[in-house]
Amino acid sequence: MKICIYGAGVIGGMLASALVRAGHDVSAIARGPHLDAIRAKGLTVTNPKESFTHKIAASASPGDFGAQDLVIIATKTPALEEVAGAIAPLLGPKTMVGFAVNGIFWFYGDGFQPNGVRLDLSRLDPHGVLHKAIGAERALGFVCWSGGEIREPGVIHATRPGGRVAIGPALASNAAASRKLVEEDLKVTDITMEAADEVRVPMWEKYIGVVGNFAICTLTGGTIGQVHGDKGTQDVLLAVQSEADAVARAHGFNNTGFDIEKSRINPTVSPHKPSMLQDLERGRRMEIESSYLILQDLARQAEIKTPTLDMVVPLLVARARNAGSY
Ligand SMILES: NC(=O)C1=CN([C@@H]2O[C@H](COP(=O)(O)OP(=O)(O)OC[C@H]3O[C@@H](n4cnc5c(N)ncnc54)[C@H](OP(=O)(O)O)[C@@H]3O)[C@@H](O)[C@H]2O)C=CC1
Ligand SMILES: CC(C)(CO)C(=O)C(=O)O
């Protein structure tokens, strides 16, 4: 397949490497020193056990590549509007577009209406450019559990080998096409790729699992292991996760897998700093809208009380603003 990775950072780079190894014709949209390094030395993706370097076509300009079978957008969400403005050359009539991003998908409310809740997700596509330039008809969610960091331009380090990605369509009418893509066409073996007919299920599962870590690691500067290792910070992060779980339940997602007692008994010992904290430390824009403000919106729309979130979010917004990251 002809696959373009739009934003070959941590997640985009890991996916690009797995897709090259599965035999696909992979190109990457990148920019700055990262682009220069990929062009000069190839894209290197390492993990504690392996290292792969791939010579792939890379450019800052989508016009260099033409229509693709699949485009996977793996930028941070604040860049999505800009990506929507530039993506046209990569799109043919049958191109599917995957969104490998954390948080609530911008298309969450397309073809989905929970009983009794009036959804308004306009915050995630304020000028409607994602709907106009890409559209829910060709959109797929890629929910990624792998983590890592850009070690230096051109070099991505994954915390561990393998990983898990759940892939599913924005619209239920595309479930069969999406399942075929995952189960027959992608042929990725190094990462576990699962087809999800309703991608909102793994979206909530992942989101509820990280929404507490993101905020508390970012506010404290600690790793996931550190914030879980302290009962006080763990209590706060689990309270945020419980509130997110309540919103998911109000939308009919009753089995996200979140269990407050299990989360407490098995604290994560990960030395990973979540991507949001990495963004803060590197002065990059943070995913405040798609990971936090939207959750408050959804909670209010569903009349769910979120007292912990309502204390944590203003602190996070202030932290991000003071660092120039929001
Ligand atoms: N990092 C992680 O461990 C994980 C991240 N995620 C999620 O995955 C998504 C992607 O995150 P991550 O991989 O960390 O992101 P990164 O910041 O590592 O990578 C994004 C890349 O896209 C580039 N980019 C952004 N806009 C453009 C543009 N207009 N043209 C060309 N290149 C562009 C960035 O360049 P530049 O640096 O110049 O902006 C950067 O190299 C996020 O939603 C994140 O929350 C999910 C699981 C784990
Ligand atoms: C790797 C993981 C799960 C850690 O919270 C993540 O999603 C991130 O850092 O963005």
Side-chain angles (χ1 to χ4, degrees):
M1 292 179 79
K2 244 175 114 106
I3 303 177
C4 182
I5 307 292
Y6 207 127
V10 176
I11 294 298
M14 280 159 46
L15 291 172
S17 173
L19 290 163
V20 170
R21 283 179 276 146
H24 298 290
D25 174 4
V26 177
S27 56
I29 304 293
R31 63 186 178 188
H34 192 53
L35 171 61
D36 297 341
I38 296 172
R39 279 179 161 161
K41 296 186 279 181
L43 173 71
T44 297
V45 179
T46 67
N47 64 54
K49 288 201 178 142
E50 307 148 305
S51 175
F52 303 96
T53 297
H54 311 285
K55 274 281 179 196
I56 58 172
S59 171
S61 167
D64 287 348
F65 299 130
Q68 305 289 308
D69 298 311
L70 174 66
V71 178
I72 302 175
I73 301 176
T75 63
K76 292 282 167 28
T77 53
L80 289 181
E81 190 168 338
E82 186 189 336
V83 171
I87 199 171
L90 299 172
L91 304 182
K94 294 195 172 157
T95 309
M96 304 207 86
V97 180
F99 287 81
V101 293
N102 273 330
I104 305 293
F105 290 122
W106 61 272
F107 55 72
Y108 181 84
D110 287 84
F112 172 67
Q113 175 57 65
N115 277 346
V117 180
R118 196 189 64 79
L119 291 179
D120 177 358
L121 288 105
S122 49
R123 175 188 295 287
L124 299 184
D125 187 15
H127 304 107
V129 291
L130 288 160
H131 281 93
K132 272 189 226 122
I134 298 171
E137 300 71 25
R138 55 165 104 230
L140 305 171
F142 278 51
V143 183
C144 305
W145 275 266
S146 319
E149 60 174 345
I150 301 184
R151 283 260 161 102
E152 60 183 85
V155 181
I156 283 141
H157 181 71
T159 317
R160 52 181 76 95
R164 176 182 164 211
V165 183
I167 302 169
L171 303 182
S173 51
N174 286 332
S178 169
R179 186 166 279 282
K180 177 178 174 300
L181 175 80
V182 179
E183 293 178 349
E184 295 172 33
D185 302 336
L186 289 181
K187 298 184 172 45
V188 167
T189 49
D190 313 342
I191 294 178
T192 304
M193 287 198 171
E194 324 165 343
D197 291 347
E198 174 47 280
V199 75
R200 293 165 186 81
V201 173
M203 185 208 81
W204 277 114
E205 178 193 347
K206 160 84 198 271
Y207 180 60
I208 293 166
V210 297
V211 66
N213 298 341
F214 282 2
I216 306 311
C217 291
T218 304
L219 286 171
T220 60
T223 62
I224 296 175
Q226 285 166 335
V227 298
H228 270 278
D230 176 275
K231 168 115 176 34
T233 48
Q234 191 190 51
D235 279 347
V236 183
L237 82 87
L238 291 179
V240 171
Q241 291 180 201
S242 300
E243 291 173 5
D245 188 54
V247 177
R249 285 172 187 279
H251 288 189
F253 298 102
N254 295 317
N255 281 316
T256 59
F258 176 69
D259 177 329
I260 192 160
E261 288 317 317
K262 264 199 204 154
S263 305
R264 199 180 287 288
I265 293 162
N266 298 316
T268 310
V269 287
S270 169
H272 177 71
K273 286 187 176 181
S275 51
M276 182 170 277
L277 174 55
Q278 293 181 36
D279 287 339
L280 178 85
E281 290 182 343
R282 293 172 190 193
R284 301 191 315 196
R285 282 188 294 167
M286 286 160 59
E287 298 182 302
I288 297 287
E289 304 275 344
S290 57
S291 283
Y292 287 96
L293 298 181
I294 188 66
L295 183 58
Q296 285 186 304
D297 289 350
L298 294 179
R300 284 169 193 150
Q301 290 159 25
E303 297 181 11
I304 300 293
K305 297 242 181 303
T306 54
T308 310
L309 195 68
D310 295 346
M311 282 198 275
V312 164
V313 171
L315 298 176
L316 196 59
V317 168
R319 187 77 192 87
R321 281 223 168 95
N322 293 340
S325 288
Y326 178 62

